[in-house]
Amino acid sequence: MNSNVFRMPARRSAALAAAVALVAGPAVLAAPAQATGGTGATSGKGKAGAVVLRTALDVSLLNKTVEVPLRASLNEVQAPADADKTALTVELDGVDQGRPFTVLGAEVATARATADDRKAEGYANIAHAKVHVPGLPLLSLIEVQEVTSKAVCEAGKKPVAESNLLGSVTVLGKKVTLSAGGPTRVEVPGVGEVTLDLSKTRTTSRTAAATALELRVAVNPLKLNVADVQGTLTLAEATCEAPAEPVKEERPEPEKDGVEPQTASEPAPENLAETGGSSTTPYLAGGAVLLLAVGGGAMVLVRGRDRS
């Protein structure tokens, strides 16, 4: 038997395998999956603070032989963590012949600060309060019926700061009328001088602060230098800082699996759908033509060998 007869099926099989490989077309690699983000987290919480009373006074005793800095605060709170204090008095030691000295006493003294990733708020309130300084044990530096300060900072909104003074104000024993247009100066001969600023507020794009009353004090009773008090005193202060706005991440368009980008020479997808074709049609057509050509060549080769 002619040995070429056994080699012919192998050649035909190889040709057929090549044609099938071409018909199948190149493998289409799916694009790697990409993470798609939604709304990103905020950069952090806001901040808030509040204080009922803060003193920054320098007290000179016994003709300035003893210097005592009077730094005190009542119900000072800070947030992010929610905080709320309602102590009614604040005392100092060592300024009244070694005995505790009450700087402020009130029926209501509340400070509150809250903050989260949406809003920060500070709040301070005092009612029926009296403030004393060394050297004037029987005469109040100031008496107020009620003062309130509030500061609110919300993400994406304009911060708000406001202070309110309700009822009368008495300074060094004198009832006074305060003006929002500027400081009010109160002088008592033989006692001292107090300058008051009413309802100071300030805001920026993300912060706010409100102070109900700020006093500049200069007290030296009868100029005896027994107790010379100089400095400032703040009543009902609230502050806040807004949390940052959420950062929105862009969502990339997801790529369709197994679909190659269209080119100008390729038919549009809708045209393919109308004629029943698909994106693999060019590969099928090319493979079929090649298969026919390879098959025809194989048949001619077989017939030639048969004839020989």
Side-chain angles (χ1 to χ4, degrees):
M1 184 179 292
N2 191 345
S3 61
N4 290 333
V5 175
F6 294 98
R7 287 195 293 268
M8 293 315 301
R11 292 182 179 180
R12 290 183 181 179
S13 299
L16 181 60
V20 170
L22 290 173
V23 171
V28 179
L29 299 178
Q34 296 182 358
T36 57
T39 301
T42 59
S43 62
K45 295 181 179 181
K47 299 178 182 179
V51 64
V52 165
L53 168 76
R54 180 184 290 115
T55 64
L57 301 172
D58 293 318
V59 182
S60 300
L61 304 175
L62 304 175
N63 201 23
K64 297 188 177 182
T65 57
V66 178
E67 300 283 344
V68 180
L70 200 163
R71 305 288 185 268
S73 62
L74 176 65
N75 295 349
E76 185 167 12
V77 292
Q78 301 288 334
D82 292 353
D84 194 332
K85 290 185 179 179
T86 57
L88 300 179
T89 61
V90 58
E91 295 182 347
L92 295 174
D93 295 329
V95 294
D96 188 16
Q97 298 180 359
R99 297 187 298 268
F101 179 83
T102 300
V103 178
L104 179 140
E107 293 183 10
V108 176
T110 300
R112 182 171 63 248
T114 59
D116 55 27
D117 57 1
R118 295 179 294 107
K119 182 172 70 173
E121 181 176 343
Y123 173 81
N125 172 255
I126 312 171
H128 303 287
K130 294 181 180 181
V131 178
H132 290 270
V133 293
L136 298 174
L138 302 179
L139 182 64
S140 299
L141 178 70
I142 185 172
E143 299 180 22
V144 295
Q145 292 297 311
E146 185 175 6
V147 288
T148 300
S149 290
K150 185 177 182 180
V152 180
C153 299
E154 192 168 354
K157 295 185 179 181
K158 184 178 179 180
V160 177
E162 60 182 21
S163 291
N164 293 304
L165 174 64
L166 303 175
S168 61
V169 175
T170 302
V171 178
L172 297 176
K174 297 175 61 174
K175 278 194 174 183
V176 298
T177 301
L178 302 179
S179 171
T184 301
R185 181 170 172 267
V186 179
E187 184 177 5
V188 176
V191 176
E193 178 181 310
V194 177
T195 303
L196 300 91
D197 281 319
L198 172 66
S199 300
K200 296 175 63 176
T201 61
R202 60 189 182 275
T203 60
T204 66
S205 60
R206 287 186 57 196
T207 65
T211 302
L213 281 173
E214 187 172 84
L215 290 72
R216 291 189 294 277
V217 180
V219 173
N220 186 358
L222 300 177
K223 296 190 180 296
L224 297 177
N225 292 321
V226 175
D228 184 4
V229 182
Q230 307 281 337
T232 61
L233 186 147
T234 300
L235 288 175
E237 182 182 72
T239 62
C240 66
E241 179 181 338
E245 293 187 66
V247 178
K248 294 184 178 180
E249 299 176 2
E250 294 185 0
R251 291 178 176 268
E253 290 292 332
E255 296 183 9
K256 297 179 180 179
D257 293 340
V259 177
E260 292 288 331
Q262 296 286 339
T263 64
S265 60
E266 293 177 341
E270 53 268 22
N271 295 334
L272 290 174
E274 292 173 359
T275 57
S278 69
S279 60
T280 59
T281 298
Y283 299 119
L284 293 174
V289 172
L290 184 58
L291 178 61
L292 290 176
V294 173
M299 292 298 296
V300 171
L301 180 60
V302 171
R303 289 177 181 176
R305 289 185 179 276
D306 290 341
R307 291 173 183 171
S308 64

